[in-house]
Every structure is written in structure tokens, then in C-alpha cells.
């Protein structure tokens, strides 16, 4: 293995624990949060309420059927149509995180090597550690966070079983090059490993950015996704794995032996959502179109003023700029929250101190004041502190 590959010990504090702490502090003090930590659009409550009312009136929808043995058949059918594969290539799960954990349990033995992108979502490495794998990282360097297949090749070991990445990239929201993914597929075939691609942000991407889901590129690629991000429906906990039939058979065997199934109730609703996906994607598009009218202007101003470095992605609801002159972004984020209630995610949780992840898929009434105060904070930090900020809590 190349000595430049970064060993990745489990972090002392995860992003999940940190954001729970921040929310707990706010709630205990009766304080408001302007949540630029959100990485999705708001839950489409009106659409979901209408769906529930229709589905569970009289008569109850036939989509409400047992999902215990093989998942909800209507969800499976919708995913078969979306991905262009048969049901033998699909396994539904309790969210994307549940999908990744299940894949690790099914495909790894203690001591196997897993190579995870950095910057990246910390849970991808944490779950592999919990499974007893040796975890190291390969760098996706900013500002474009491209996949460098040569870096991956140099970091492989004889026991590398999985390479794990995201597309759209979490935390930057940028799309991976299709050519790079094809090169990675060739490397996976030559070296005998599989690639898990977390595609929960993929539905935000244009066809030009992401012409195919990962599982369509190579039988060595495994797609993982859910309704959490582009649909704003984390409440349904509906995720899935799409992969080569042999991989799905292995994972399904473990699930049949150790799992007690996914939620019949929530996956019935998920089936209806997937069958009417145009309604939900139109909702997300409307939210983001309004938010981007504000976000685009602030990013351009901050870049021109030399306060941030890095692009605003073409698609999606997150960005990961470097804050110029601010190395300790954990301290910056904590002070920003304490003084204003604006909450961004420190880059430390993604392996990139000096950056912050900003989620802007919010109503305009929240985006505008949050960005205004974040801009003030960046200017104040350049002057040596955050004291010029006005408190809103």
C-alpha cells in the first residue's frame, strides 16, 4: 500500500454525536436554530399527509402489504423500472445507512481492508471499523474533489475488499466524472474488489452529471440510495441496494438469517411515493430553485471578497467551501452557533478542517437570514473575532 494512504482510526466524536449535542443545547435553552447543517430539502408534509389520507382511507391501499419476506413488491417494481434491472438485483433496506451496514456485514471478514474517500461522510468508515475491518482513506482533493484512480490503485492492499465513495459527493455536492468511474470499474475488475457508491444525492444530479447509476457501469459496482435526500423523506426510512445478482443473493442470505424485515407501513407509503415521484421531485425542485436565487448571490459575493474558496455545485442542496484564513472550523462553527443560532457542519467531521458543509435546501425565510449572518461571521473572523455579529437568540 502507498504510504500516502491515510489510516483512518475511529473519530473521538462523530458528526451524528456533534449535531445531537448542538440541537440538545438549543432545545434546553429554548433557542432557535438556523439549520444550515441540513443536507436535504424539508419534509414535504402536505404531499405526505395527502398520501397517507388517501392510502389509509377506505379502502386501504393494496400497497399496504407484507414486506417481511422479500420487501414491498411495489417498491421493488418501481425500483426495477428506475434502474432497468430485475428484482434479483434489488434489496430494500431500512434506509441507506442500514444498507451500508448490511453490505459490510455480508461482504467483509475481520481484517479485510476497506478504502473510503476523504473528505467523506464519517459514518462510511465508522461502520466498517465496527465490523472489524482495517480502514484507510484515499484523497479526493479540493476544490473539485475529483476521483483520482491512480490514488486508489496506490492505496490498495491484497486484502482490499471494498472501495467506498459517494456520488454526488458528500460533503461537496459535486459529481464524479463518468470517465473516472469507468476507469475505477476497470481497476476493480483487474484487482478483484467491489465499489460501494452511496448515491443518496444522485437524484439531484442532471443526466449530464450522472448519466447512469453506478450499478449500471459495472457488475463490481454497488448502488445504495434512499428517499432521504431528494425526496426529503427520511421519516420513511426506505433505502435500497442495487447490485449484481450474486452480491444481492449474498446480502439477502444474511438479511434472511439476521434481520426481521423492513417496515410494512413506511414501505407501503414509499411505494406510493416512487409511483408518483414526479410530484415529489417537483416539490424539491421548487424549494431549491427559490433557495438558489439567494445562495448563488452570497457565494459569488464571498468568493469575490476572498472569504471562501471552492465552487457552488450545479445540482443538489449542499456545498463544501474552504473558509479562507480559518483553519479550526470546529471552533468557528461552535462560536457561530453560540452567537447566532446558524449551524454549519465543520469540515473536521469529513476529514477536511478549514471547510464547512453548508446545506441550503431550506425555505427562503431561513436561507436569507442564515446566509446574511454567516457572511457577517466570515468578515468578522477575518478581522480577528466574531464580536461584530448581532445575536438573534
Amino acid at each position: 500500500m502507498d504510504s500516502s494512504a491515510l489510516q483512518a482510526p475511529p473519530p473521538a466524536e462523530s458528526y451524528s454525536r456533534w449535531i445531537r449535542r448542538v440541537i440538545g443545547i438549543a432545545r434546553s435553552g429554548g433557542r432557535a436554530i438556523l439549520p444550515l447543517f441540513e443536507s436535504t430539502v424539508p419534509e414535504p408534509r402536505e404531499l405526505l399527509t395527502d398520501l397517507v389520507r388517501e392510502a389509509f382511507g377506505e379502502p386501504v391501499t393494496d400497497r399496504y402489504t407484507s414486506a417481511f419476506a422479500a420487501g414491498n413488491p411495489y417498491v421493488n417494481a418501481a425500483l426495477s423500472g428506475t434502474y432497468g434491472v430485475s428484482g434479483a438485483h434489488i434489496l430494500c433496506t431500512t434506509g441507506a445507512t442500514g444498507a451500508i451496514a448490511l453490505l459490510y456485514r455480508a461482504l467483509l471478514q475481520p481484517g479485510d481492508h476497506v478504502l473510503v474517500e476523504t473528505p467523506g461522510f464519517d459514518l462510511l468508515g465508522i461502520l466498517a471499523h465496527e465490523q472489524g475491518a482495517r480502514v484507510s482513506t484515499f484523497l479526493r482533493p479540493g476544490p473539485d474533489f475529483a476521483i483520482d484512480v491512480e490514488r486508489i490503485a496506490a492505496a490498495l492492499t491484497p486484502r482490499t475488499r471494498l472501495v467506498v465513495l459517494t456520488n454526488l459527493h458528500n460533503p461537496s455536492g459535486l459529481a464524479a466524472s463518468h470517465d473516472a468511474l469507468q476507469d475505477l470499474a476497470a481497476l476493480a475488475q483487474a484487482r478483484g474488489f467491489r465499489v460501494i457508491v452511496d448515491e443518496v444525492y444522485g437524484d439531484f444530479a442532471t443526466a449530464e452529471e450522472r448519466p447512469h447509476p453506478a450499478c449500471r457501469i459495472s457488475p463490481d459496482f454497488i448502488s445504495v440510495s434512499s428517499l432521504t435526500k431528494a425526496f426529503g423523506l427520511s421519516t420513511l426510512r426506505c433505502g435500497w441496494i442495487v447490485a449484481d445478482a450474486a452480491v444481492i443473493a449474498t446480502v439477502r442470505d444474511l438479511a434472511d438469517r439476521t434481520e426481521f424485515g423492513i417496515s410494512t407501513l413506511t414501505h407501503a407509503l414509499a411505494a406510493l411515493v416512487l409511483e408518483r415521484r414526479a410530484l415529489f421531485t417537483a416539490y424539491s425542485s421548487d424549494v431549491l430553485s427559490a433557495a438558489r436565487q439567494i445562495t448563488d448571490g452570497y457565494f459569488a459575493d464571498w468568493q469575490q471578497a476572498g472569504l471562501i474558496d471552492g465552487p457552488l455545485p450545479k445540482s443538489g442542496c449542499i456545498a463544501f467551501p474552504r473558509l479562507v484564513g480559518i483553519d479550526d472550523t470546529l471552533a468557528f462553527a461552535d462560536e457561530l452557533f453560540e452567537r447566532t443560532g446558524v449551524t454549519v457542519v465543520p469540515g473536521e467531521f469529513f476529514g477536511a478542517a478549514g471547510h464547512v458543509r453548508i446545506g441550503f435546501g431550506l425555505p427562503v425565510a431561513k436561507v436569507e437570514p442564515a446566509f446574511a449572518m454567516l457572511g457577517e461571521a466570515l468578515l468578522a473572523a477575518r478581522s480577528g473575532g466574531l464580536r461584530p455579529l448581532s445575536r438573534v437568540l
Side-chain angles (χ1 to χ4, degrees), residues 15-64:
Y15 164 58
S16 176
R17 182 176 293 170
W18 176 81
I19 195 59
R20 281 184 169 89
R21 176 173 61 82
V22 169
I23 293 172
I25 291 170
R27 286 177 176 171
S28 65
R31 301 166 62 186
I33 291 180
L34 288 171
L36 296 182
F37 67 85
E38 294 283 8
S39 58
T40 180
V41 295
E43 183 179 273
R45 292 190 177 185
E46 184 174 342
L47 289 174
L48 187 59
T49 299
D50 290 345
L51 203 62
V52 171
R53 185 180 297 115
E54 176 188 339
F56 295 99
E58 292 292 341
V60 172
T61 177
D62 61 359
R63 272 54 178 168
Y64 185 55

Side-chain angles (χ1 to χ4, degrees), residues 1-13:
M1 183 173 66
D2 186 343
S3 60
S4 65
L6 305 173
Q7 296 300 311
E13 181 173 46

Side-chain angles (χ1 to χ4, degrees), residues 54-122:
E54 176 188 339
F56 295 99
E58 292 292 341
V60 172
T61 177
D62 61 359
R63 272 54 178 168
Y64 185 55
T65 185
S66 175
F68 176 73
N72 183 293
Y74 299 99
V75 173
N76 291 340
L79 294 174
S80 290
T82 298
Y83 285 87
V85 298
S86 72
H89 295 259
I90 298 167
L91 179 66
C92 288
T93 61
T94 303
T97 300
I100 291 168
L102 190 58
L103 283 164
Y104 287 167
R105 289 168 53 209
L107 302 179
L108 295 173
Q109 297 295 324
D112 282 347
H113 178 233
V114 178
L115 191 57
V116 182
E117 68 185 4
T118 189
F121 182 37
D122 62 352

Side-chain angles (χ1 to χ4, degrees), residues 119 145 171-172 309 311 313 318-322 345-347 350 352 355-358:
F145 303 101
S172 75
D309 178 46
I318 57 174
F320 195 57
R322 182 176 68 87
V345 186
F350 301 99
H355 293 251
V356 295
R357 192 184 72 182
I358 300 172

Side-chain angles (χ1 to χ4, degrees), residues 68 96 110 142 263 266 304 379 388:
F68 176 73
S263 168
T266 62
Q304 186 173 8
L379 286 168

